[in-house]
Each structure stands twice: as structure tokens, then as C-alpha cells.
Amino acid sequence: MSNSSQHESDATDVVAKEPEGLVELLQLLANIREDGGSIRLGRVLDIVGRRSFGPMLLLAGLITVAPLIGDIPGVPTLIGIFVFLIALQLMLGRDHFWLPSFLLERQIRRQTLHKVVVWMMPTARFTDRFLRPRLMFLVNGGASYGVALLAMLVSLMMPLMEFIPFSANAAGLTLTLFGLALIARDGLIALFAFALTGASVGVIVWALL
């Protein structure tokens, strides 16, 4: 059996538990098991789920903002491609997100992932305490398409952000907030993400001028 066929088979054997917050996402990441010392992005998505926009945005944001991972040259650009593709598919009405193999086969060392989970867990516990349904008109129904459009805007800026110090981390935080807002139906968090999106656009325009 080819590697791609094996990976597809693996995906059908996994029942995804979609996270309801940062802590649950980090726990899912910590419990991922795969042969060897590295973990494929495809395996991560099999565990997190490929049917909901919120968890995938949250994952993309965490990868970008996390130390040891998001600071690697090229990672913000790859995450930008990832976000653009899933946001576009949401706009097109797809209920299962497809991603090309060059993204799914990207790997991270298990030890690095463990360090990131340990480093981020206290912040995740603190953040999850403030999540709750509110201002839901900003994230429910058609509003999710507005979030998708803004996420696409952020994704298009991410390659440029590789050349502007700390801006890619701001993009990661923005995507993280969008993901949390959709998962928790928390419109207040979405408002913070809207503001960060505007600030990111301003930084890019300022840098280009």
C-alpha cells in the first residue's frame, strides 16, 4: 500500500474530537501518536477534525504564534496557504476541507510539539475561563463568511509578514482569536480579532510605504 493510501486509511480510522477551547486543542495535540519522531500535519488534522472552520483556524493560529514553530522561516507562508484554502472552501460551501499533499505531509518533531504544548497550557487555561457565548450575531450564520473573508485577508498578508518583525505573530494571534470566537460563539473575541486584522493591514501598508 502506498504512503498516500495508508494516510487516507488512517484518516478513516480516526474519530475526530473537535476541541471546544484552547486547552482541549492542546490536549489533543499532546496525545497524538505516530510512528517515528515526527508528526504530520495530516495526522494532526485527522485528530482535530476537517469539517469545522473554527478548530482549523485555531490550529493555524497556534502554529503561527507558537515559539519554536512559528518563527521558522517559511512557516507563516505555509500557514497562509492553509488558511486561504480552507476559508475559500468554506465560502464555496464545502463541508469537508481538502488540502494538498505538500501541506498534509509537512512534519513537526514530536519533542518540539510537546514543548510548545507545555509552554502554552497555562495561557490556554487562563484564556478559556473568559470564553462564553455572547454577541453571537457576529459569529453565527452568515457572519461566519465574514470571518472567512477576513481570515483570507490575513492569509494573503502572511508571506509579507515574514519580512516584518513580529507581524506574523500578530497574524497568528488574530487567527487564534477568530478560531476561538467561532468555537465558543463568542462575538466579543471576534471583535478583538477584527481590530487586530485592521491593525495588521495598517502595519503592512506602513511597511510598504
Side-chain angles (χ1 to χ4, degrees):
M1 180 181 293
S2 67
N3 288 338
S4 59
S5 298
Q6 180 65 49
H7 295 162
E8 291 173 2
S9 175
D10 290 345
T12 62
D13 294 336
V14 175
V15 178
K17 168 63 170 67
E18 293 183 357
E20 297 179 359
L22 275 173
V23 170
E24 284 198 15
L25 177 61
L26 291 176
Q27 289 173 339
L28 287 174
L29 296 179
N31 291 328
I32 292 176
R33 297 291 179 266
E34 191 167 44
D35 294 338
S38 297
I39 299 171
R40 295 178 297 109
L41 177 59
R43 179 62 173 170
V44 174
L45 295 180
D46 291 341
I47 299 297
V48 173
R50 300 194 197 187
R51 294 182 178 274
S52 295
F53 189 50
M56 295 187 77
L57 266 188
L58 180 57
L59 177 64
L62 285 182
I63 291 174
T64 309
V65 79
L68 304 177
I69 302 176
D71 296 332
I72 300 173
V75 167
T77 297
L78 287 172
I79 294 301
I81 296 171
F82 173 89
V83 171
F84 183 87
L85 289 174
I86 61 173
L88 178 62
Q89 290 174 74
L90 176 69
M91 299 295 294
L92 295 175
R94 293 196 54 152
D95 60 0
H96 188 280
F97 297 115
W98 170 88
L99 289 167
S101 60
F102 79 87
L103 284 177
L104 295 177
E105 296 302 319
R106 300 293 298 186
Q107 297 185 359
I108 180 175
R109 292 183 60 197
R110 187 192 307 276
Q111 185 178 10
T112 300
L113 181 61
H114 177 73
K115 288 180 179 179
V116 169
V117 168
V118 171
W119 183 84
M120 299 190 75
M121 189 61 78
T123 301
R125 292 194 181 100
F126 178 80
T127 301
D128 279 357
R129 290 167 51 194
F130 296 96
L131 298 176
R132 59 181 178 273
R134 52 191 163 186
L135 301 177
M136 291 187 289
F137 67 92
L138 292 173
V139 290
N140 281 345
S144 63
Y145 292 100
V147 171
L149 283 172
L150 290 176
M152 289 176 73
L153 176 60
V154 172
S155 73
L156 291 172
M157 295 188 294
M158 291 179 76
L160 291 173
M161 289 177 171
E162 296 218 33
F163 304 98
I164 305 173
F166 307 112
S167 61
N169 300 102
L173 179 59
T174 303
L175 297 174
T176 299
L177 292 178
F178 275 136
L180 286 174
L182 292 175
I183 288 171
R185 297 291 183 261
D186 194 333
L188 181 60
I189 299 297
L191 284 177
F192 286 120
F194 296 155
L196 274 174
T197 302
S200 298
V201 172
V203 169
I204 293 295
V205 172
W206 175 82
L208 292 177
L209 296 179

